[in-house]
Amino acid sequence: MATKVNTSTYPQVDTSPNFPALETETLAFWKSQGTFKQSILAREGGENEFVFYDGPPFANGLPHYGHLLTGYVKDIVPRYQTMRGRRVERRFGWDCHGLPAELEAEKVLGISGRNQILEMGIKPFNEACRTSVMKYTSEWEQYVTRQARWVDFKNDYKTMDRPYTESVLWAFKTLWDKGLIYEGFKVMPYSWAMETTVSNFETRMDNAYRERQDPAATVAFGLVPKEGEPEHVDVLAWTTTPWTLPSNLALCVGADLDYAVFEKNGRWLVIAAALAGKFEKELDGADQVATWQGSDLVGRVYTPLFPYFKDHPGAFRILAGDFVSTEDGTGVVHLAPGFGEDDQRVCEGEGIDLVCPVDSAGLFTFEIADYKGMQVFEANRPILRRLREEGRLFREESYVHNYPHCWRTDTPLIYRAVSSWFLKVTAIRDEMVRLNQEIHWIPGHVRDGSFGKWLEGARDWPISRSRFWGAPMPIWRSDDPAYPRIDVYGSIQELEADFGVKVPDLHRPYIDELTRPNPDDPTGKSVMRRIPDVLDCWFESGSMPFAQVHYPFENKDWFESHFPADFVVEYVAQTRGWFYTAMVLATGLFGKPPFKNVICHGVVVDEDNQKLSKRLKNYPDPTDMFNEHGSDAMRWYLCSSPILRGQDLSVDLKGKGIAEVVRLVIMPVWNAWSFFSMYARADNLRADYRPNPGPDAPVLDRYILAKVRDLVVGVTKAMDSYELNIACANVRTFLDAFNNWYIRRSRGRFWSAVTGDAALDAEKHSAYDTMYTVLHVLSRTVAPLLPLVAEEIYRGLVDPDESVHLTDWPDVNELQADDALVREMDLVRDVCTGALGVRNEAGLRVRLPLKSLTIAGPGAPELAEIEGLFELVQDEVNVKSVSVEGNVESLGKFELFVNARAAGPRLGKSTKDVIGASKRGEWKDLGDGKVEVGGFVLEGDEVELRLVPRDGLEGKATLAIPSSGVVIALDVVTTPELEREGVARDLVRHIQEARKAAGLEVSDRIALALDLPSDGQAAVDDHRDYIQGQTLADSIAFGQGAGGYSHEASLLGHLISVTVTRVEVVNS
RNA sequence: GGGCCUGUAGCUCAGUUGGUUAGAGCGUCCGCCUGAUAAGCGGGAGGUCGCAGGUUCAAAUCCUGCCAGGCCCA
């Protein structure tokens, strides 16, 4: 890598900056430089492109944490891939059509319901929709920009754009030509008040399910008796929708269920055995005469309750259905295939056509002559009265249940067969299941779990909506059934050719104005008219991969060579939404999965795991979080959490988790940079990028460079497998080694003065170069995860005009791997941790030097071979000498540890005994690596000898470090010399404190006066040079000083006073 | 009713070819260190691994059932 010429030193860095303010400065820098655009243009396209699809949000409100989280992931992966050298285009998309837009328009226009829309006219209504869907776009752009997400808003796509819709029409026509579109008559939730079917979206709206009291009737259906049966054999069926009884066409039983047959007054009554107990009163005095299996009932014929459909082909039989339960009712379900999904499915399987004698307003039609024109719920009573009179009503009660309501009109929905257009998903289901195996899902279980299962059970998809604001169904049909004809259009050109006019707008009502004479009608009277429905908006969002580029009318080659996408991310519920519809369309149109890698993240909830709610304000305002802690903190908080693996993440009301990120992640990174900058400025130097300084470099430098290489390897692996939270964890681990070991142990080299001694100065320069190199690599490695902080550091470090996001991902080959050194150094860190623990336990403060530390263990001598390690331990633990001992007998002894995993299978039941014997020390070393224990000879990896400290070592404090296989022994015997040295260090500490309290500059020279007890004075006498050198004291006097700044402290149990007086340096 | 996920320290979570003494961060308490200083280091306390069975020499881990929570489908 080319290094900039060192013409100036580094900027002054605020040690505890206002990160949000820094962030907005960086955002402004990006804007002024066009950095985002540069980052795309700097990479080659074509084969090298990394394709990312931005699932279009529906902007009917401000973005919340879920959107922000998705946005962060949508930013991190492309930034990473860009640094890896790929070209990553990012276009923002807007989902524009559908019911939420219509609702908003109604609100704005002050109207309500279908009739008022038609009264006002579709044209002004759709205009209002068009305006309303763009209402929040500028707010969205502000949020997305503030979260440092790079995405192209200028070149965005909208699902309502004409080219987008044309591609959607192409998709529809292509599926039509493949025979995958059909018109069907299916039972769906239906609002008779709004006269429309109700989509999934609407039935799931809050409060859609509400308590309702309905009459529940147990009705006796009279079977046609067989030989040996009485004249009246009645099967009892239960329903909470008596109004569907006139349309009854069959009964349904569970084939495996048991049905009890009771006799009462010569009449037989059939009911599920498990439920007979609920009819004690009605069955009083009845005797059970038989038990039938459901399968015995299947196929039997019964007399219709009502005459309206008595000649219906195939009807009035008992069928078997797997959905029949014995939870409530009678175990016999009455089937009205026009008014129930299960009913329709079962009847269809038996070749019974449905009947639907209820019109669009929920009124009975002429077919039900007796109740014609009556609203179905109103008809419940008269129907029940009639059944009672005819003796068919076995029991009548009222039933309170949760029932879906039309959220607009508050009226109960009905299930009703309506005409709708379907995409025949069942025909491509197996292919989808197969293609799904090619997709890499995060978390992995989604593939064969919720998504895979959903695909296996996929049903045909109703894609038409009798609404106003959406892509038109491109179907024109003859208005005279005598001359049937259907035309389907897949492009604007085809429309213009057939209708002879320009088609500037594909929306209603303009599209509805396209009519022409039916070419198949010789009389010339019938007209081709568009069916008035619009497409389900999910069909449109699922078309996003090709529709955003106006395929196949434009970008044909690009799309065909860049599909499927490399990566998408949305929240987990999109397995039922966009992931699914994209899958259906990709399979149906192209026989490919729509994407290769997909993250489905979880949901952000509040402290009590409740949904975030604007009304309840149970979450911190994202804008406040941006202003208080910054976007990078929020980014890290969200993306380092298990929410990326589909779990929920609860965010506390005060945003403590986000604040914590600043302290635990961002500050450490920043501290490293500000430390570097502070000393480099003091030394007035610039460092060089030296990723591989060679074997003669100081050991700490080689260690941290090898360590940062390991970091890059780890983060690369995690990012390549889309495990962002693991990448974050890698960074955390590295920061500990960097800040709390490397920098802390290297401080001396930074503050040492330039001596003129070549070796010492080289060490100092090596520290700077290493620090610079690590920060250089680190800022690039965290650039996707902390893009704003990384940018600020990189620009300060390298060049204020250069963006870290335009650099290449760190090259691991450039950095020297040194596994042995990393291992040994990590052992040394363990030793220091252990030794400090031992000191703590022994009550020996660190400032008190101790004589020696011994490290004993089989691997210990290797430590001695690496130069410089012992000095690190001496400094860190404050001991005079460090030694190693390969032979551990002096300090430790071995305990036998049975490797149960290896020996268990061979020893079987004796494993426990053998382990017990080993723990009691009942084992014998047979040599050659063989050991006898508990009557068995173990060898090889079946046993392991573990080092523990020996007891009763005079004057030593010992500790085993199992992870490293060593024992350490600290010499805890102090001497008067050591005590005096410790006191001298204590004094230095107090003097430094006094200097700081006096407000002196670190370079100011002082005169010292110390008021001390006699042993304190002895310490000063012994270590006068050391104290003066450390504290820049020109002189030390005993006693209370006159003038200057006095500072009181406690030393050796006495109150002492330290007086510092600044000494003017006379320039010679 | 069915499917998927989750249940481990006060909190957030690691911990899969089953292996002896279950880990981390945060919080808390104690101690230390400090020319990065509104930082840093060490230690202590804190756990019936949701519950109950089973398999096994051995279960947080595998199996079964149950309980609780979340999501989805009926």
Side-chain angles (χ1 to χ4, degrees), chain A residues 443-466:
Chain A
H445 61 75
V446 175
R447 189 188 71 184
D448 297 323
S450 55
F451 195 68
K453 293 273 188 334
W454 174 251
L455 290 183
E456 285 168 20
R459 302 219 230 150
D460 289 350
W461 172 15
I463 51 172
S464 59
R465 295 282 180 273
S466 49

Side-chain angles (χ1 to χ4, degrees), chain A residues 481-602:
Chain A
Y483 300 100
R485 179 185 168 99
I486 287 181
D487 291 324
V488 174
Y489 294 89
S491 72
I492 292 168
Q493 197 192 354
E494 289 166 32
L495 285 169
E496 292 180 345
D498 270 10
F499 293 97
V501 292
K502 286 277 161 203
V503 182
D505 191 336
L506 291 164
H507 283 101
R508 301 184 71 183
Y510 312 104
I511 194 79
D512 300 330
E513 289 161 8
L514 300 182
T515 58
R516 62 171 187 148
N518 178 1
D520 294 347
D521 177 3
T523 71
K525 281 183 185 161
S526 66
V527 176
M528 299 300 293
R529 293 183 195 281
R530 196 184 74 83
I531 64 161
D533 292 1
V534 295
L535 271 166
D536 180 1
C537 60
W538 287 103
F539 188 99
E540 297 182 61
S541 53
S543 300
M544 172 272 178
F546 50 92
Q548 66 157 338
V549 291
H550 197 205
Y551 177 86
F553 308 100
E554 290 177 74
N555 302 306
K556 193 162 189 301
D557 291 343
W558 180 86
F559 177 76
E560 284 167 8
S561 58
H562 291 85
F563 183 79
D566 289 291
F567 173 66
V568 300
V569 51
E570 303 294 339
Y571 85 125
V572 67
Q574 294 294 6
T575 48
R576 300 286 181 273
W578 186 60
F579 294 151
Y580 174 68
T581 57
M583 184 76 187
V584 169
L585 293 177
T587 306
L589 293 167
F590 308 110
K592 287 183 182 176
F595 34 73
K596 296 175 190 163
N597 300 284
V598 49
I599 292 177
C600 1
H601 65 72

Side-chain angles (χ1 to χ4, degrees), chain A residues 779-818:
Chain A
S779 60
R780 282 179 290 153
T781 307
V782 300
L785 301 170
L786 300 170
L788 294 162
V789 172
E791 184 75 310
E792 179 72 17
I793 292 174
Y794 185 85
R795 288 172 60 204
L797 194 66
V798 179
D799 181 343
D801 297 325
E802 199 178 303
S803 169
V804 71
H805 301 287
L806 299 177
T807 63
D808 290 334
W809 188 248
D811 177 6
V812 290
N813 298 316
E814 197 181 63
L815 295 154
Q816 178 68 44
D818 194 338

Side-chain angles (χ1 to χ4, degrees), chain A residues 119-131:
Chain A
E119 256 170 51
M120 133 175 281
I122 296 175
K123 186 175 165 184
F125 180 73
N126 274 0
E127 278 313 311
C129 290
R130 187 190 298 273
T131 311

Side-chain angles (χ1 to χ4, degrees), chain A residues 705-722:
Chain A
L705 287 166
K707 208 71 177 167
V708 82
R709 180 185 191 278
D710 291 348
L711 169 72
V712 174
V713 170
V715 172
T716 303
K717 185 169 171 250
M719 294 299 289
D720 282 345
S721 49
Y722 299 90

Side-chain angles (χ1 to χ4, degrees), chain A residues 739-750:
Chain A
N739 281 40
N740 299 337
W741 185 253
Y742 177 77
I743 296 181
R744 190 154 55 83
R745 289 269 42 95
S746 301
R747 277 182 298 191
R749 283 193 286 159
F750 289 96

